[in-house]
Amino acid sequence: MRFTRRAFVGTALAASIAPPIGRARAAARYKRCLVTTPEGQKALASYAKGVQAMLKLPADHPHNWFRNAFVHLMDCPHGNWWFYVWHRGYIGYFEQTIRKLSGDPDFALPYWDWTQEPKIPDGMFGPGLTPTDAAFEPYTKTLDIFTAYFKPGFERYWGGLTPAQQQQLAARGYKTLGNAWSDVTGIDGKGKYDPGNEAFAATSRARYLSRDKPGLDAGATTAVSKYTVLAGLLAPHFNDPTVSLSFTSSKSPSHTAPPAEKPAFSVLEGQPHNLVHNCIGGVGPFDPGPYGNMTNFLSPVDPIFFLHHANMDRLWDVWVRKQQSFKQPYLPEGKDLDLLSKEPFLFFVDADEKAVLDGKAGDYLSTDRFNYEYDRAGYGEELIGSTIAAPVPAAPTLTTARATGNAASLSLPAAALRRPGAAAETARPIVALITLDRAAAGSDVRQFRVLLGDAAGSDANPAGTIGFFGPAMAHGHGGHETTFAIALPPTNPVLADRAKAGTRPAGAGERPADVVVRVVPADGGRNAPNVLKSVAIGPL
């Protein structure tokens, strides 16, 4: 199970930074509840009050709704191992702010479990809870209106940033306010407009799902399915160079720097996180942009952002308790834990309107920092201590192939494709690591369909969708070659046929199962030559 003396030492050190969540839960003051429960609905009413109060604050107030969203634009990490811990700090302070401004001392963020309900909860179309609501229009009707309202106060804020904050922004590619504002407008320093990089969204197009059509599209529905989420929760390590075995995405030297190697998205960040964002914001039917709020780094302008990320945080909590149930490490070890814990997060604002200038990632590795727990109503709880989640003796073998054009042919052990005696959603998944070169596709291509076929050339069977969240950025997110871990559905007819095709009569042995993986732009309308670089497939 690869659990060495070093692992025990690392776990002990982790406990000194983030006490076991099981112990913290007994004394937690606040409980985050599934939004569709009575407790969740009560929290949603307070949430709406808090959102509307933040909207009415002056543009340069630290708790102004848009000022809060700009914290995400300026500092959020994606595609690296800081993703979970940074967002825990961000939504934790936000939750405290809503508690204060709503007048509800018991408020805790509700979460949206899209695995159980792959559609936006109906209450999130109520007053103040959708960015297409009239409450947003005085500020976001047009880009000119938003600029006149918000930019003067933002300029004053920018002028007061500390040298340490300025250094982190420069590493992100924001050496000046103009650099940052170009990502708001989509217009670069040379006057070129990239509609896909316009983080601002006018009120009329701020969210592309509606009360009449709230459901996630096919790609996002697969990404939030039990089978996909199971694959993410079964990862045995907080971080692993083989991203299918890693709960987090690539390790990087800081949350504003690219990974040392090619970036890689873990299952949960690359699949439910990215594709839910993109679906709500219109990636696909509205390519190449401009999009709604949820597709770029001003995504917190849409109040659904915080329910989405509360569920991502909940899944981290589930994963930690799963690790604890098997006495396995739930944080990195040794120097890696030190690197992770000491990373400065410099842009959060607390409930008292004060900038948190001395914050570090280690402050947010446990739910203790904000004194909350989750109810047990969401998907994943059943995995804690279950047989399917038990550690396996050794890492699985992956079969790898380089791509020719947009296709890769693999000869897989047929036994690796068979999952006898288990329901599809509870069998240990088959995972594919798919490496793409986004630059070859052009920066406007955000999503790709993964198709499975056989040596005869049939590739009409979709196996999933890959989606980049946001535009490529200077600090490495969405850079050139990027690997995504995706769970391959066991019900896919190609996988089922290939598993059967590999069998021979008793004593005759097995021949490999030939599988062809192809990647094409999700909208089917643009040619993206040689975007696929390699594929690796194996059991988890």
Side-chain angles (χ1 to χ4, degrees):
M1 291 186 288
R2 298 201 293 179
F3 195 52
T4 62
R5 179 183 181 277
R6 182 168 172 264
F8 280 107
V9 173
T11 303
L13 180 57
S16 69
I17 295 175
I21 287 181
R23 187 177 74 215
R25 290 181 175 280
R29 168 69 176 83
Y30 304 100
K31 180 174 287 188
R32 295 180 180 175
C33 296
L34 179 66
V35 67
T36 51
T37 64
E39 297 82 3
Q41 289 293 294
K42 179 178 181 294
L44 200 62
S46 294
Y47 184 38
K49 291 180 183 178
V51 172
Q52 292 178 68
M54 292 177 74
L55 281 169
K56 294 174 182 178
L57 291 171
D60 57 358
H61 192 285
H63 288 161
N64 171 270
W65 182 256
F66 302 99
R67 170 80 170 272
N68 178 71
F70 267 77
V71 173
H72 189 265
L73 177 83
M74 296 188 295
D75 198 43
C76 65
H78 293 86
N80 63 44
W81 69 339
W82 312 100
F83 167 81
Y84 283 98
V85 66
W86 188 93
H87 284 82
R88 174 170 285 175
Y90 181 54
I91 70 172
Y93 287 115
F94 172 81
E95 180 179 63
Q96 291 182 342
T97 297
I98 294 291
R99 190 175 297 143
K100 180 178 180 179
L101 295 180
S102 69
D104 180 357
D106 298 319
F107 174 78
L109 270 170
Y111 65 89
W112 167 32
D113 182 4
W114 12 252
T115 302
Q116 296 185 32
E117 186 174 42
K119 61 181 181 180
I120 293 182
D122 187 71
M124 290 304 297
F125 295 102
L129 293 179
T130 172
T132 60
D133 182 56
F136 287 79
E137 194 164 44
Y139 319 107
T140 59
K141 185 175 182 179
T142 67
L143 177 58
D144 286 345
I145 288 173
F146 179 73
T147 300
Y149 156 72
F150 185 78
K151 192 175 181 181
F154 186 60
E155 289 175 336
R156 290 191 291 274
Y157 166 69
W158 191 279
L161 294 174
T162 69
Q165 289 175 314
Q166 292 172 356
Q167 184 178 9
Q168 286 197 352
L169 286 168
R172 192 175 177 86
Y174 294 159
K175 294 182 179 180
T176 67
L177 183 146
N179 297 144
W181 202 255
S182 69
D183 279 351
V184 177
T185 65
I187 302 172
D188 66 19
K190 298 180 180 179
K192 182 180 178 181
Y193 174 55
D194 176 1
N197 193 37
E198 183 183 340
F200 170 79
T203 314
S204 60
R205 60 173 173 83
R207 185 193 285 176
Y208 283 107
L209 295 182
S210 64
R211 177 168 266 154
D212 292 337
K213 295 181 178 180
L216 300 179
D217 61 23
T221 298
T222 297
V224 303
S225 67
K226 290 183 178 180
Y227 188 74
T228 299
V229 175
L230 172 66
L233 291 174
L234 290 184
H237 307 118
F238 181 83
N239 189 264
D240 193 287
T242 302
V243 74
S244 57
L245 305 178
S246 182
F247 183 73
T248 58
S249 299
S250 305
K251 181 171 70 174
S252 61
S254 83
H255 77 289
T256 57
E261 303 294 334
K262 297 170 185 175
F265 281 87
S266 61
V267 171
L268 293 181
E269 186 186 352
Q271 286 285 287
H273 171 263
N274 285 10
L275 295 184
V276 168
H277 266 281
N278 287 354
C279 176
I280 293 173
V283 169
F286 297 96
D287 289 347
Y291 301 113
N293 289 127
M294 280 287 278
T295 56
N296 284 321
F297 296 111
L298 281 180
S299 48
V301 170
D302 189 334
I304 196 65
F305 172 96
F306 293 96
L307 275 68
H308 175 41
H309 273 274
N311 197 46
M312 292 299 298
D313 183 75
R314 182 189 68 84
L315 291 174
W316 180 18
D317 176 62
V318 169
W319 181 82
V320 167
R321 289 185 286 117
K322 185 257 318 187
Q323 293 291 97
Q324 290 175 331
S325 73
F326 291 107
K327 296 181 171 58
Q328 295 293 293
Y330 55 90
L331 285 172
E333 306 164 14
K335 292 182 179 179
D336 279 349
L337 180 57
D338 194 53
L339 172 66
L340 181 75
S341 302
K342 291 183 177 179
E343 175 71 0
F345 294 159
L346 304 178
F347 291 89
F348 298 151
V349 176
D350 68 18
D352 295 322
E353 307 171 19
K354 296 178 181 177
V356 184
L357 298 176
D358 58 350
K360 293 181 172 56
D363 299 337
Y364 314 113
L365 289 173
S366 167
T367 56
D368 285 5
R369 175 63 185 81
F370 298 107
N371 200 11
Y372 68 91
E373 63 182 0
Y374 288 96
D375 66 12
R376 299 293 192 265
Y379 173 70
E381 294 292 336
E382 56 269 46
L383 298 181
I384 297 172
S386 70
T387 302
I388 190 175
V392 296
T397 300
L398 297 173
T399 301
T400 304
R402 297 294 297 177
T404 301
N406 275 339
S409 300
L410 301 92
S411 293
L412 296 164
L417 301 181
R418 292 197 288 273
R419 295 291 181 269
E425 65 185 27
T426 58
R428 289 190 73 89
I430 304 161
V431 177
L433 305 184
I434 298 178
T435 301
L436 306 179
D437 183 356
R438 189 179 187 184
S443 62
D444 63 333
V445 181
R446 292 275 186 101
Q447 294 200 161
F448 302 86
R449 285 192 301 148
V450 179
L451 305 173
L452 294 185
D454 53 30
S458 172
D459 63 1
N461 293 286
T465 302
I466 288 172
F468 289 89
F469 168 65
M473 297 192 72
H475 69 288
H477 168 72
H480 292 238
E481 289 194 19
T482 304
T483 297
F484 289 82
I486 70 169
L488 299 179
T491 54
N492 184 283
V494 170
L495 293 181
D497 290 346
R498 293 296 84 204
K500 294 176 182 176
T503 61
R504 288 184 176 181
E510 283 195 335
R511 65 180 181 273
D514 296 320
V515 175
V516 177
V517 179
R518 190 178 305 277
V519 172
V520 298
D523 71 352
R526 291 188 299 274
N527 183 30
N530 303 321
V531 64
L532 181 63
K533 307 305 292 184
S534 66
V535 176
I537 295 178
L540 185 60

